[in-house]
């Protein structure tokens, strides 16, 4: 039988490696129990908390916000679920950052400072120690944008196995948007349905178009009743139908999702889901969300060219961006305005 060395290396493998002296072996601290400990007859040591534990979801099995006309987003579980009284899920981030076995520091303000340091310097792994599980009902076109964030575990309602419910997203007349002239993939300006007869008619035509599409649902049901397979019958359904899924993601990648989807450039229909998601998770990790607002979603990224232009502006120069790309120059002008300068 092969015998491992004291350092866990197989001595019979034939590998020609210099033995590591015991004094040179890495020294790891022994795990320290954080409360009373007992060993059961099964040989498992169980440590019990020193202080009462509380549910970060306040004892609720589900917290939900309704979105759009038939949709919703619900937080159904998270990790950690139980934390020491007086703390939040932020404690798990601090614990992971310190590679500790206890509750981290004893002072919440010290934990807050560490969290802010981690996020400010993009040390992201500790934020992956918090996980969030959502149940979401959204239009299929929203789901297809959402699934582009490939860092979550997803299980979606299957129209191969089940009939899709009769739920369609239809915006109000005053929510119909025009195609943006500056952004090929977005719509920004709303149709003026209250003071322009032609634009009102166009918006009405669009809503009528959605009504006509929704009318095909009864044909979908009829065809399945006549024996057409569900996996075939579904292929004619429109993307404004609602689907559902369970979506589980760690906090770091959830914040990345929110940074992109809460932005003003995101499509309005997915943005309202992101805003609802943020409202659900903020009480769970308030120090992390505060730091994320300060250092990510509320911050401003400057390129090398923009830094040079800003230096020029501060020195009394023109502050012109040295780029022949008109989009870059427009973005720079927007940033300058936000900073309170004028070109």
């Amino acid at each position: 039988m092969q015998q491992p060395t004291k350092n866990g290396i197989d001595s019979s493998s034939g590998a020609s490696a210099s033995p590591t002296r015991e004094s040179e072996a890495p020294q790891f601290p022994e795990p320290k129990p954080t409360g009373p400990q007992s060993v059961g007859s099964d040989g498992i040591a169980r440590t019990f908390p020193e202080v009462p534990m509380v549910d970060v979801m306040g004892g609720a099995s589900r917290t939900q916000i309704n979105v759009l006309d038939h949709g919703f987003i619900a937080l159904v579980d998270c990790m950690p679920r139980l934390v020491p009284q007086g703390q939040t899920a932020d404690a798990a981030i601090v614990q992971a950052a310190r590679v500790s076995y206890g509750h981290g520091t004893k002072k919440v303000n010290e934990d807050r400072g560490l969290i802010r340091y981690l996020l400010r310097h993009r040390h992201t792994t500790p934020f992956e120690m918090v996980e969030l599980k959502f149940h979401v009902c959204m239009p299929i076109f929203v789901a297809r944008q959402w699934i582009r964030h490939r860092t979550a575990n997803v299980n979606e309602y299957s129209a191969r196995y089940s009939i899709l419910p009769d739920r369609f997203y239809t915006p109000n007349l005053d929510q119909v948007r025009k195609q943006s002239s500056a952004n090929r993939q977005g719509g920004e300006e709303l149709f003026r349905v209250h003071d322009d007869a032609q634009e009102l008619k166009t918006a009405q035509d669009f809503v009528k178009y959605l009504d006509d599409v929704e009318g095909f649902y009864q044909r979908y049901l009829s065809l399945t009743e006549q024996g057409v397979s569900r996996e075939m019958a579904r292929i004619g359904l429109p993307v404004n139908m609602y689907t559902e899924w369970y979506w589980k993601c760690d906090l770091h990648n959830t914040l990345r999702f929110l940074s992109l989807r809460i932005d003003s450039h995101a499509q309005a229909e997915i943005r309202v889901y992101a805003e609802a998601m943020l409202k659900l998770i903020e009480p769970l990790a308030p120090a992390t969300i505060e730091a994320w607002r300060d250092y990510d979603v509320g911050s401003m990224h400057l390129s090398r060219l923009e830094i040079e232009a800003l230096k020029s502006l501060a020195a009394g120069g023109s502050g012109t961006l040295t780029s022949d790309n008109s989009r870059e120059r427009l973005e720079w002008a927007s940033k300058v305005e936000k900073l309170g300068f004028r070109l």
Side-chain angles (χ1 to χ4, degrees):
M1 183 174 68
Q2 295 179 343
Q3 298 294 326
T5 68
K6 188 170 184 178
N7 294 306
I9 301 173
D10 182 5
S11 59
S12 62
S13 64
S16 57
S18 302
T20 302
R21 293 197 305 271
E22 184 174 353
S23 61
E24 295 177 346
Q27 300 297 312
F28 295 102
E30 287 294 321
K32 295 181 179 179
T34 59
Q37 190 177 56
S38 66
V39 180
S41 58
D42 54 6
I44 298 176
R46 294 173 172 84
T47 302
F48 300 92
E50 291 179 311
V51 298
M53 305 292 281
V54 296
D55 183 351
V56 295
M57 291 181 61
S61 62
R62 179 186 183 96
T63 56
Q64 177 174 315
I65 296 175
N66 293 334
V67 183
L68 300 179
D69 48 0
H70 303 296
F72 61 77
I73 178 169
L75 179 68
V76 297
D77 206 355
C78 62
M79 187 190 80
R81 185 66 186 258
L82 297 177
V83 297
Q85 193 171 52
Q87 297 194 34
T88 64
D90 289 320
I93 298 165
V94 170
Q95 181 186 27
R98 294 199 167 103
V99 198
S100 68
Y101 295 90
H103 303 312
T105 59
K106 298 296 183 182
K107 296 181 179 179
V108 173
N109 65 322
E110 293 180 16
D111 290 355
R112 175 178 176 272
L114 176 56
I115 285 172
R116 293 180 70 80
Y117 175 88
L118 293 171
L119 214 150
R120 188 166 65 249
H121 292 277
R122 294 183 291 180
H123 298 303
T124 59
T125 303
F127 298 99
E128 297 174 9
M129 302 302 159
V130 174
E131 293 198 334
L132 306 156
K133 182 180 177 182
F134 297 93
H135 179 199
V136 191
C137 176
M138 78 231 97
I140 292 172
F141 70 88
V142 171
R144 295 303 160 256
Q145 292 182 341
W146 199 317
I147 203 66
R148 294 296 302 156
H149 299 264
R150 300 183 297 275
T151 51
N153 304 111
V154 183
N155 195 41
E156 185 175 2
Y157 185 101
S158 174
R160 290 187 69 196
Y161 300 110
S162 303
I163 296 292
L164 282 169
D166 184 5
R167 295 178 301 192
F168 293 80
Y169 168 63
T170 302
N172 296 327
L173 282 175
D174 56 5
Q175 295 174 320
V176 180
R177 300 184 298 276
K178 299 179 181 180
Q179 176 63 44
S180 169
S181 58
N183 185 347
R184 293 182 181 178
Q185 64 179 3
E188 296 173 354
E189 183 183 355
L190 297 172
F191 279 87
R192 295 176 297 161
V193 297
H194 300 294
D195 56 8
D196 188 300
Q198 182 56 50
E199 293 198 1
L200 171 61
K201 183 180 183 304
T202 301
Q204 289 173 330
D205 288 345
F206 173 71
V207 172
K208 177 63 168 58
Y209 157 68
L210 294 181
D211 288 341
D212 293 343
V213 169
E214 187 173 340
F216 281 91
Y217 182 77
Q218 292 304 320
R219 293 180 65 181
Y220 158 72
L221 291 181
S222 176
L223 288 167
T224 59
E225 291 167 358
Q226 294 174 58
V228 176
S229 66
R230 288 184 290 271
E231 68 177 5
M232 290 296 295
R234 64 177 176 164
I235 67 178
L237 294 173
V239 294
N240 69 323
M241 281 201 80
Y242 278 82
T243 184
E244 295 184 24
W245 67 29
Y246 281 90
W247 191 81
K248 182 173 72 69
C249 193
D250 64 69
L251 181 57
H252 164 60
N253 284 296
T254 298
L255 293 178
R256 292 293 303 137
F257 168 84
L258 290 175
S259 294
L260 293 171
R261 297 307 180 179
I262 225 164
D263 185 86
S264 61
H265 295 93
Q267 184 166 344
E269 285 79 10
I270 195 171
R271 192 163 65 241
V272 291
Y273 280 91
E275 291 166 350
M277 177 186 286
L278 177 58
K279 188 174 182 179
L280 290 172
I281 71 172
E282 187 164 10
L284 276 61
T288 298
I289 299 301
E290 176 195 45
W292 169 77
R293 289 184 190 276
D294 290 344
Y295 303 129
D296 187 340
V297 72
S299 67
M300 180 183 295
H301 173 78
L302 296 179
S303 69
R304 178 183 63 83
L305 295 178
E306 289 169 338
I307 291 173
E308 291 177 356
L310 187 59
K311 288 179 178 178
S312 166
L313 195 62
S318 66
T320 301
L321 191 74
T322 56
S323 170
D324 57 4
N325 186 294
S326 59
R327 186 70 177 266
E328 282 188 68
R329 294 197 301 271
L330 284 172
E331 290 172 0
W332 169 235
S334 175
K335 290 178 181 180
V336 169
E337 184 178 355
K338 288 180 181 178
L339 290 170
F341 294 102
R342 297 182 65 180
L343 292 177

